[in-house]
Amino acid sequence: MSRRRDTMRLGAFLYPGGHHVAAWRHPSSQADAGIDPAHYRRLAKVAEAAKFDLIFLADGVSIRGDDIDALSRTAIRYVGQFEPLTLLSHLSAVTERIGLVATASTTYNEPFHVARKFASLDHLSGGRAGWNLVTSADPREAYNFSRDSHLAHARRYARAEEFVDVVAGLWDTFEDDAFVRDREEGRFFDPAKLHVLGHEGEHFSVRGPLNVPRPPQGHPVVVQAGSSEAGKALAARTAEVIFTAQATLEDATAFYADVKGRLGRHGREPDALKILPGAFPVVGRTQAEAEDKYGALQELIHPVVGRSLLEQLAGLDLSGHPDDAPVPEASGTEGGKSRQDLLVTIARREGLTIRELYLRIAGARGHWTLIGTPARIADALQERFEAYGADGFNIMPPTLPGGLDDFATLVIPELQRRGLFRTEYEGTTLRENLGLQRPRHRRHAASRAP
Amino acid sequence: MSRRRDTMRLGAFLYPGGHHVAAWRHPSSQADAGIDPAHYRRLAKVAEAAKFDLIFLADGVSIRGDDIDALSRTAIRYVGQFEPLTLLSHLSAVTERIGLVATASTTYNEPFHVARKFASLDHLSGGRAGWNLVTSADPREAYNFSRDSHLAHARRYARAEEFVDVVAGLWDTFEDDAFVRDREEGRFFDPAKLHVLGHEGEHFSVRGPLNVPRPPQGHPVVVQAGSSEAGKALAARTAEVIFTAQATLEDATAFYADVKGRLGRHGREPDALKILPGAFPVVGRTQAEAEDKYGALQELIHPVVGRSLLEQLAGLDLSGHPDDAPVPEASGTEGGKSRQDLLVTIARREGLTIRELYLRIAGARGHWTLIGTPARIADALQERFEAYGADGFNIMPPTLPGGLDDFATLVIPELQRRGLFRTEYEGTTLRENLGLQRPRHRRHAASRAP
């Protein structure tokens, strides 16, 4: 039994054919997964049967890279797949209990659209929606939205801070019991329970009202993935789940203590925010089988893809540096700062060459890689959970559907036997299953009739 | 048998509890329809079993009105319901053949998001997506998107002209056979078949590439609803379906000839665009039963709601004008010009009072109202179809689910007996069922690698 009285939360982070960069070439993944709804319906049902808290979908509003040769050899850099909100809305029709978390950028969206679409998904799913707020690490996104250049990191976070407040305010347009639908009196909603936001800020002016009733969860669950200083500050104030990349136990416990320690400043309890680092599990019935599986995937990585991925994720320019040279200094672009720092730190600490680093990150892209038997993987997850390095994990299957099937049928039963993971959903909403409170309706200062 | 060799196309235009403004108060509608996914799943299955071409969803990104008393007494002015793209994505999981058409505004959206979401829906549904392009008639929408004022009518259409070209260009990012997914060679897509849009225009600069493979239909079907001069010009160049409000046979045939006559200028055949006027059918087994049904709905219209709806739809200020006074002059706002003109024209032609006009439009809101037996309704539809006033109709059930059940079980079998409507779907995509050609891929002038 766990020393902790709570149990793990688990996300199923679904990438089209799996998280390994060469997954689509492997027989245990489906090559056309990115545009096959049946593939995702099957994954969602497997994840729900295994009692995962949620399905997690990343997003990008650009193809991630400029090297056409490298891009054309990968399935996971947003080269061609479903848009997450439409996909999760589809999956809401074939699932009943699992949470549905989609990524949406605050930099190239409008808060009214984001508030409305996630509220709609929350109603469609009976209270299972979550919004993974990102600020767009990829500068190419700017060019798809009539901007000359990407917003700088600090500016993106300033916009995000205001954006999330506007979205929360729009979700509180109607009180929970506003829609009385009194046929006799001819009163559809109580006008005293409609509150107009009337937001006027530095980045946005949004009057409202939002034209969707208050979501079943009050607010869809707010998830964040940034681990930079600005990201942690935003998360401490507004996030309810953090998805983060922490490769070692020390990094994980330090990050956990740091973020949880910030909550009090905002009047929040430590358990109001769940920290779910990514975990990339390669499961075998024996250690040798697991290593073989991983090795087979690694062998499928094309050097062009590996180098390009490293340039992309670490913000590095590798031209002129051969595969066996040490990793050069980061160029300090305005992309996702925290991940860039992390990768270069790992390379320096372990003295990795370019090839060694790209082989390392091509699998889990900086996330925690676990290769072994179900018992050994469960040991590692348990250790990190009990050491307060995590409240659970966002599971990143190397291949799909194969890698999810492995985790669901081999690792989850082991976690359940140890009392570390649920055998039945606690509630019907994502919020209930995560153990998060339902936010009370707050009247806006500016509330008035429209 | 019809003189025409083609058969009717029918849309099922779903408003939450029905199109009649008081529908939600009637026992044959569901009061909480707007946020009940089971309600919509049932409607979609009924419409598909009846072989409707498509489900049509209107949209607005604001609550339509300023009179809080009137708003709180209605269910159909976007006061609280699902967002269309999330709802249709949900319905794509429980249907197989029916088309799914969602409205999205070109004024308060970005072309990249619109292109991507409809492409995603087209993949989710196996080629059943349609985009109803509107330019936003309601000036309140501006205030939800950090704008001081609504764009003027002409400016909105200039933006829409460019918007639709950008969207079409983004859909042609990849050629149809670009995704080779060659596991042996490690080639996911053929880089020679990726084309970057590189659009630089007056309203938008959008580089691309779109990060979704070319949709199954090539392009999702483009629908338009504007019937103003600018709307007809845009439709003649770009639309494949027009949804329009034509109350009389003369109006309908004149509109039909006008729009079809414009296609040649753009090198398009007349059958490349289907004209589907709205039809609001109140079906009874006898004429008296139909009239009673309609009368019961009309009695449920609250005067506050009727007057407010008339002000909204006709662009009128009725303050100081009692219910029994004649309809005053239109104030000439920048809303949906064509509909405003139409309503005032009707009132003047027939010498209607304010009350008479609001009772008239509260039902079908300017659309064609048909009250009668299945045979009589079929007669009227047949007459208009055979006179080339329509290629089919967008059916607006007065109540839902009751009104759709009536049409599906009583009128559609009558149309089928007359050979006017299909008994089985012709194809698997919306485009095939509508009899529209699949657009060939066009390379952009600026095509280059990203």
Side-chain angles (χ1 to χ4, degrees), chain A residues 271-445:
Chain A
D271 66 357
L273 187 156
K274 309 297 179 188
I275 298 178
L276 307 187
F280 176 94
V282 185
V283 189
R285 285 168 202 277
T286 64
Q287 186 67 28
E289 184 184 289
E291 310 254 354
D292 285 352
K293 268 190 191 178
Y294 186 66
L297 282 166
Q298 292 289 91
E299 278 179 25
L300 292 172
I301 300 173
H302 197 288
V304 165
V305 173
R307 290 176 64 93
S308 172
L309 191 73
L310 182 53
E311 290 189 324
Q312 172 77 12
L313 291 178
L316 296 173
D317 178 3
L318 298 179
S319 49
H321 298 267
D323 272 17
D324 293 329
V327 174
E329 291 294 334
S331 58
T333 67
E334 279 290 345
K337 284 195 161 183
S338 52
R339 174 162 303 175
Q340 291 177 13
D341 295 346
L342 179 67
L343 291 176
V344 175
T345 301
I346 291 169
R348 298 242 165 267
R349 187 162 60 202
E350 307 187 22
L352 301 181
T353 64
I354 287 172
R355 180 163 195 277
E356 286 166 339
L357 184 58
Y358 80 60
L359 283 177
R360 177 90 58 100
I361 64 162
R365 297 186 309 292
H367 286 278
W368 186 29
T369 300
L370 291 155
I371 303 167
T373 61
R376 192 153 164 187
I377 289 174
D379 287 347
L381 297 176
Q382 180 169 4
E383 179 189 39
R384 197 161 289 195
F385 175 70
E386 293 186 345
Y388 293 96
D391 295 313
F393 303 94
N394 206 5
I395 302 300
M396 305 166 67
T399 61
L400 286 167
L404 182 66
D405 291 340
D406 288 346
F407 194 88
T409 58
L410 298 173
V411 182
I412 284 194
E414 180 64 28
L415 295 173
Q416 288 169 330
R417 271 191 294 276
R418 299 181 189 194
L420 289 165
F421 190 60
R422 70 167 66 82
T423 54
E424 191 42 80
Y425 285 107
E426 294 84 2
T428 60
T429 69
L430 173 56
R431 199 169 274 287
E432 287 166 355
N433 289 321
L434 287 172
L436 295 168
Q437 292 200 321
R438 188 174 187 281
R440 280 184 306 174
H441 182 274
R442 284 180 301 186
R443 275 182 201 218
H444 321 307

Side-chain angles (χ1 to χ4, degrees), chain B residues 3 7 46 48 91 115 123 141 157 166 176 180 213 266 285 323 339-342 369 389 426:
Chain B
R3 292 185 294 125
T7 52
V46 167
E48 185 167 73
L91 297 179
H123 283 287
E141 297 193 353
Y157 273 89
V166 172
D176 287 311
V180 291
H266 303 284
R285 285 168 203 277
D323 271 18
R339 175 162 302 175
Q340 292 176 13
D341 295 346
L342 179 68
T369 301
E426 294 84 2

